[in-house]
Amino acid sequence: MSVDLMKLKEILAMVQKPARYLGNEWNACLKDHREAGMRMVFAFPDLYEVGMSNQGLKILYESVNSRPGMLMERVFAPAADMEDLMREKGLPLFALESREPLSRFDVIGFSLQYELSYTNVLNMLDLAGIPLYHHKRSETDPLIIGGGPCSFNPEPLAPFFDLFVIGESEEFLPVLLDTMTELRMENPGKKELLARLSGLDGVYVPSLYEPVYDQGLLAGMEKLDPRAPGTIRKHYVSDLDCAPYPTAPVVPYIQTVHDRAVVELFRGCGRGCRFCQAGYIFRPVRRRSSENIVSTARELIAGTGYDEISLSSLSSTDYPGLDALICELDNSLSDGRVKCSLPSLRLDSYSVSLADRVHRGRRSSLTFAPEAATERLRKVIKKNISEKDIFTAVADAVEAGWQGFKFYFMVGLPTETVEDVEAIVSLCRRLRQHFKQQAGRALKISVSVSTFVPKAHTPFQWEPQLPLAEVIERQQLLRRGFGKIAGFDFSWHEAGASLLEAVFARGDRTLAPLLERAWQLGCRFDGWSEHFSFDLWQKAFRELEIEPGRYAYRRFNYDDYLPWDHLDCGVDKELLIREHREALAR
Amino acid sequence: MERLCFSFARTMPLAYISHLDMMRLFLRALRRSNLPLAYSQGYNPHPRLTLALPLPVGVTASEELGEIFFAEAVSPEDFISILGSQLPASLELTGAGRLSPESTSLAARVCAALYRVFVSDEPDRGTQYLLLRGALDKLMSREEILMERKSKKKKITFINVRPYILKAEIIYKEGRPLELSLLLKAGSSGGVSPFFIIEQLKMEAGSGLMDASSWHVHREKLYTGQNGSLQPLPERM
């Protein structure tokens, strides 16, 4: 029995953007539930517009739905107005395709992209009428599984999940679902099923491990079942050209954050910036062949009707032969009516010349991420660009007609001093003065400053986050600095939110009750500044007598047991230690 | 250069998307269909597609109008079958015809629209009918119904929309849902939304008496022509 359409219509008339909850989009896939042995919902713990911009969703939707015997539907976090009405009318959370309640599916797979979406995970389980803790769920409740970048340290979520898939799952997920179908025929019961699944590479079943604490600090993970591996190795796709990739992804009716076709040039990044988790967990670098890119792009445009295609990766201008590729795409995509776009530009002349080529006539602003304003600090984080590179890249861009620039910086980086922070203002001021004449008028520069969050599996995983008070001090220093100069648009991240991100990025299972309490107090959409309430979180911390600094500000030693030490992302700890030592020597 | 006009019906659940979403939907369907789109001149060329009189979110419709230019000849029959195969089930092409490239755009000539408002039966039909009857009589007997309007400079002015209600009837028949039929002036020379009229009716009935949240609005037809001599559209399909 799917959700009553009349009841839904009544609600939809009263909410903002009802199309978020409609499904039925072009290329949406509604399979017959009676013919699928395994029915899964891909659950994205943020709004439809955000989730539908996620390439992982589109890839997995294709990889599961293209197989017989299994199906995947979608669900997103309902906005506050929808949540209120659903609770008021007793409407359970339902999947968009069939409008079946989530509780009737076999597997619910959460995409864990960002620590600040964790309260939404709990809220979605609750709206689905599914008990939050795995030990409270029955044999008939769906299996709750998770994947995505945050599953590289899923410990704060461990008590809520049955299983995590570590690494890239487009090839593995159908195998996992098939294995489940097979094993389930023997009726082994959930506990035994999970124990057997734990033998598969890349599968982490948290209930099979018991954390061992020594004087309140995590000292190791004890295996509760001999079948569970000591360390779980991540999955990765060895050849992108052979891996499933959607050429007819769902085309939303309403505008999403990234409303365009996407073709992935390569996965991983060879730059090795020391703060960047994606740069480590997506190793090694794997290229899609240019023939495959061109044919994929062509099929994508034919299958979706988009007029823009994004050539995506962590550092697109590093793709060898990108020049020739763009030429070829220009020629082969419907008489040049389809535009290409390049995310993540590096600060060099080559990148600017490419941007100039692909952005013909759409010259809004160029975004660069120097991350740090002094050459010393850039060397610490291994963002190897010189001040000369920055000035040359901006000069080329001004020459090509750009007048607006957006720069991303961070505060709180390891070894950062007040001088490094002040240098952000002075660098931007010098850039503007220097190019005033060349541009004929002052450049429009917007500066966005985020707070450094140490992440698992990076060389900075041992580093503490800069304490909240000092982060705020440094932000104020910047505000004063930019306030004195007219024409700068300066924005910064809420310091409390970054603290929370660090707590969960470095935390362990002791944080699960805190997460539950914060959710009970009403925390939702913590990554959205208009919803984030630091007061509520502080209340939760106080009530449970948890000190956030214990997680965010702790400096780990090299021989400390880290909460993610049992998960192997394929990078040697020795390499991380070497990189960390080298960073601190700068 | 080929210029076609076409009519389409929009049903649930697609009624929940905005005019901009509708434009995007049509453009993407057109690109998928590989029909030879004609593009506008200029720095940022775009396909030449117009949808007359934006449909409000939540409103279904029987006969909406669109116009499109193609670079090469496309027959109305091919247009319907080729584009139709790229449209979702709740959007149906109901007709198409050729327009001479010089004639005034149909979209610009739309001057009225007929709406059917399906009124809820709660708490019961008789009570709803009487409430609605009373409210409508009061509203129609007014000489002025003022609607607030903000100019581009955010200056607030009031316009009298009473003359924009060309016809208002209640259909109260056994075996049919209670219905309010509204013929309203629309288009570039001024018009009024059915939702504004419903709001006014609620006020006339006394707040709290009528709950219009579950009423459904449907646009039946668009008209061209001068006051008094309305021509139903599309004329030549």
Side-chain angles (χ1 to χ4, degrees):
Chain A
M1 260 287 284
S2 52
V3 163
D4 181 21
L5 195 57
M6 286 317 290
K7 210 160 158 186
L8 184 60
K9 268 185 194 164
E10 230 173 79
I11 291 183
L12 289 181
M14 292 186 268
V15 298
Q16 284 192 327
K17 300 200 187 174
R20 285 166 173 166
Y21 315 105
L22 290 175
N24 271 302
E25 306 97 318
W26 195 254
N27 292 335
C29 179
L30 175 57
K31 282 180 136 182
D32 190 339
H33 279 227
R34 286 163 306 184
E35 281 166 24
M38 240 346 115
R39 297 162 308 144
M40 175 170 175
V41 185
F42 185 101
F44 196 93
D46 208 318
L47 291 180
Y48 177 90
E49 299 93 302
V50 179
M52 283 303 289
S53 305
N54 178 269
Q55 197 58 16
L57 160 58
K58 296 176 196 166
I59 293 175
L60 295 181
Y61 195 75
E62 165 76 18
S63 99
V64 172
N65 284 329
S66 62
R67 300 285 193 105
M70 57 184 77
L71 64 83
M72 181 185 273
E73 302 196 2
R74 296 161 298 150
V75 68
F76 303 89
D81 59 347
M82 183 66 173
E83 180 190 342
D84 289 346
L85 284 163
M86 288 172 80
R87 290 191 187 279
E88 189 189 312
K89 311 260 175 187
L91 195 74
L93 192 63
F94 57 91
L96 292 188
E97 278 76 1
S98 63
R99 277 191 219 101
E100 283 284 336
L102 257 58
S103 54
R104 298 236 174 81
F105 283 79
D106 302 301
V107 178
I108 297 172
F110 279 96
S111 169
L112 305 171
Q113 301 288 325
Y114 184 33
E115 290 80 1
L116 297 188
S117 66
Y118 288 176
T119 52
N120 283 1
V121 172
L122 301 195
N123 198 40
M124 288 169 79
L125 285 174
D126 184 67
L127 278 168
I130 297 169
L132 303 187
Y133 285 93
H134 74 81
H135 64 267
K136 292 197 175 149
R137 290 195 286 265
S138 73
E139 286 291 323
T140 54
D141 280 319
L143 277 183
I144 308 301
I145 74 175
C150 291
S151 63
F152 281 94
N153 178 27
E155 287 306 290
L157 289 173
F160 308 115
F161 278 74
D162 293 301
L163 178 158
F164 293 99
V165 176
I166 313 299
E168 302 162 0
S169 52
E170 60 258 63
E171 287 174 339
F172 175 63
L173 186 58
V175 176
L176 178 69
L177 294 178
D178 268 338
T179 313
M180 284 181 185
T181 313
E182 262 169 52
L183 289 177
R184 243 189 9 183
M185 286 181 196
E186 300 167 31
N187 264 326
K190 202 181 257 180
K191 209 176 157 196
E192 175 62 19
L193 174 76
L194 287 170
R196 291 201 204 168
L197 292 173
S198 75
L200 299 174
D201 250 2
V203 170
Y204 170 44
V205 177
S207 57
L208 299 181
Y209 302 80
E210 177 77 31
V212 181
Y213 295 93
D214 181 19
Q215 296 171 0
L217 296 178
L218 187 67
M221 292 293 251
E222 191 191 320
K223 282 199 296 179
L224 302 180
D225 190 300
R227 287 169 288 185
T231 51
I232 294 104
R233 256 199 320 230
K234 78 160 181 186
H235 272 287
Y236 67 94
V237 168
S238 55
D239 184 351
L240 285 188
D241 284 353
C242 300
Y245 196 82
T247 50
V250 176
V251 184
Y253 290 128
I254 56 173
Q255 192 155 24
T256 54
V257 180
H258 299 299
D259 205 5
R260 53 187 82 94
V262 177
V263 58
E264 193 182 14
L265 301 184
F266 60 92
R267 206 171 286 180
C269 174
R271 296 279 169 180
C273 298
R274 296 186 177 112
F275 58 87
C276 177
Q277 193 189 35
Y280 279 90
I281 61 177
F282 288 113
R283 288 181 178 205
V285 176
R286 287 142 294 156
R287 271 175 57 196
R288 188 181 294 278
S289 71
S290 63
E291 299 77 44
N292 185 286
I293 292 168
V294 174
S295 66
T296 304
R298 229 190 255 133
E299 286 174 50
L300 260 168
I301 296 303
T304 60
Y306 279 119
D307 62 350
E308 183 177 350
I309 190 152
S310 172
L311 308 176
S312 97
S313 74
L314 290 169
S315 180
S316 291
T317 43
D318 286 346
Y319 186 85
L322 186 58
D323 269 70
L325 176 67
I326 290 173
C327 263
E328 169 115 36
L329 285 171
D330 268 350
N331 293 336
S332 68
L333 294 176
S334 72
D335 314 326
R337 295 292 186 198
V338 175
K339 299 163 280 195
C340 292
S341 61
L342 283 170
S344 55
L345 284 183
R346 281 184 61 76
L347 268 162
D348 55 32
S349 295
Y350 176 63
S351 303
V352 171
S353 75
L354 283 171
D356 186 33
R357 288 249 313 274
V358 301
H359 289 258
R360 307 158 295 194
R362 298 177 292 148
R363 215 147 278 175
S364 47
S365 71
L366 266 192
T367 304
F368 291 123
E371 311 291 4
T374 60
E375 221 148 308
R376 182 199 68 82
L377 194 53
R378 282 195 297 271
K379 279 184 179 148
V380 169
I381 62 176
K382 213 173 178 181
K383 187 95 190 183
N384 290 331
I385 42 167
S386 66
E387 182 139 330
K388 193 166 158 258
D389 293 334
I390 299 177
F391 273 76
T392 313
V394 174
D396 292 346
V398 169
E399 175 78 10
W402 267 286
Q403 298 188 328
F405 293 87
K406 186 164 190 180
F407 289 100
Y408 285 111
F409 291 98
M410 276 191 268
V411 289
L413 287 163
T415 78
E416 180 184 275
T417 63
V418 170
E419 288 73 47
D420 291 310
V421 179
E422 284 168 341
I424 297 176
V425 180
S426 72
L427 173 64
C428 293
R429 183 191 291 149
R430 276 180 292 128
L431 276 169
R432 211 167 67 135
Q433 272 165 0
H434 189 266
F435 293 111
K436 203 168 180 172
Q437 257 187 326
Q438 193 194 344
R441 57 180 166 133
L443 304 177
K444 269 193 287 180
I445 298 184
S446 54
V447 181
S448 176
V449 176
S450 62
T451 303
F452 168 69
V453 177
K455 293 267 164 127
H457 306 285
T458 68
F460 289 158
Q461 64 180 353
W462 295 281
E463 287 286 326
Q465 188 178 46
L466 187 68
L468 184 72
E470 287 175 61
V471 171
I472 293 174
E473 229 169 74
R474 288 183 190 188
Q475 288 177 339
Q476 277 167 348
L477 188 74
L478 290 169
R479 279 165 74 179
R480 280 198 302 274
F482 283 113
K484 282 186 203 139
I485 328 164
F488 276 101
D489 174 13
F490 171 60
S491 61
W492 61 96
H493 281 214
E494 160 90 46
S498 302
L499 167 61
L500 212 60
E501 192 183 333
V503 167
F504 287 107
R506 323 178 80 215
D508 55 38
R509 291 187 192 185
T510 47
L511 289 172
L514 171 81
L515 200 54
E516 184 192 17
R517 186 64 194 136
W519 164 73
Q520 284 168 346
L521 290 171
C523 293
R524 312 270 191 281
F525 292 100
D526 299 301
W528 294 72
S529 54
E530 61 266 51
H531 294 291
F532 177 67
S533 166
F534 195 44
D535 288 346
L536 285 181
W537 275 98
Q538 281 176 310
K539 189 162 183 255
F541 277 113
R542 270 197 310 274
E543 282 183 20
L544 294 174
E545 294 178 359
I546 290 177
E547 178 51 54
R550 248 190 78 192
Y551 300 89
Y553 307 152
R554 177 173 168 199
R555 180 182 289 282
F556 287 115
N557 296 315
Y558 291 145
D559 51 5
D560 280 335
Y561 189 88
L562 305 177
W564 49 90
D565 267 352
H566 55 305
L567 304 176
D568 176 7
C569 80
V571 178
D572 277 348
K573 209 168 190 175
E574 277 64 45
L575 174 90
L576 296 182
I577 292 176
R578 230 175 23 246
E579 284 288 317
H580 185 224
R581 287 204 166 118
E582 209 173 294
L584 297 191
R586 297 284 172 180
Chain B
M1 188 73 81
E2 177 90 89
R3 185 185 186 189
L4 296 184
C5 62
F6 58 95
S7 60
F8 62 93
R10 171 169 107 164
T11 51
M12 288 293 180
L14 256 195
Y16 287 115
I17 68 172
S18 70
H19 177 65
L20 273 179
D21 298 331
M22 287 285 283
M23 287 292 288
R24 242 195 319 264
L25 186 165
F26 268 109
L27 289 175
R28 285 175 185 164
L30 282 160
R31 274 189 223 102
R32 287 194 298 266
S33 72
N34 272 325
L35 287 164
L37 288 169
Y39 283 77
S40 64
Q41 302 292 308
Y43 208 52
N44 208 351
H46 51 269
R48 296 178 61 187
L49 168 76
T50 323
L51 300 180
L53 203 63
L55 259 177
V57 175
V59 175
T60 52
S62 303
E63 204 141 41
E64 291 301 297
L65 284 177
E67 267 179 54
I68 182 147
F69 283 85
F70 289 112
E72 297 158 29
V74 174
S75 76
E77 297 74 29
D78 284 353
F79 173 79
I80 290 181
S81 71
I82 295 172
L83 181 62
S85 70
Q86 295 296 325
L87 291 175
S90 40
L91 201 60
E92 191 196 347
L93 295 176
T94 54
R98 286 204 171 84
L99 275 178
S100 90
E102 296 81 33
S103 66
T104 323
S105 132
L106 285 182
R109 279 154 55 199
V110 167
C111 71
L114 177 65
Y115 293 92
R116 298 172 69 183
V117 182
F118 296 95
V119 178
S120 89
D121 284 351
E122 300 294 325
D124 67 86
R125 255 168 92 86
T127 316
Q128 272 297 327
Y129 170 72
L130 288 175
L131 273 174
L132 189 62
R133 179 83 269 162
L136 185 64
D137 289 346
K138 271 201 250 171
L139 189 72
M140 295 306 283
S141 66
R142 273 161 62 177
E143 269 171 24
E144 263 192 343
I145 303 170
L146 294 181
M147 183 171 73
E148 199 179 291
R149 230 190 179 177
K150 262 187 205 141
S151 70
K152 273 184 190 153
K153 286 174 189 161
K154 297 218 166 138
K155 226 179 99 183
I156 294 172
T157 53
F158 287 92
I159 47 166
N160 178 17
V161 297
R162 174 61 188 85
Y164 293 174
I165 309 177
L166 305 176
K167 209 168 168 189
E169 283 176 348
I170 300 170
I171 299 162
Y172 181 54
K173 278 186 189 137
E174 208 48 56
R176 279 186 62 176
L178 184 58
E179 183 185 323
L180 171 67
S181 164
L182 292 171
L183 182 62
L184 303 176
K185 198 167 175 314
S188 48
S189 58
V192 63
S193 139
F195 294 102
F196 180 77
I197 303 296
I198 292 173
E199 223 19 69
Q200 295 297 307
L201 285 170
K202 266 182 77 175
M203 273 156 55
E204 291 290 358
S207 54
L209 284 177
M210 283 194 318
D211 174 18
S213 64
S214 61
W215 294 11
H216 177 72
V217 179
H218 179 84
R219 189 148 81 191
E220 188 69 25
K221 222 166 182 28
L222 299 174
Y223 295 88
T224 60
Q226 301 304 316
N227 289 346
S229 68
L230 291 177
Q231 292 289 321
L233 271 169
E235 296 157 319
R236 298 198 293 150
M237 289 184 200

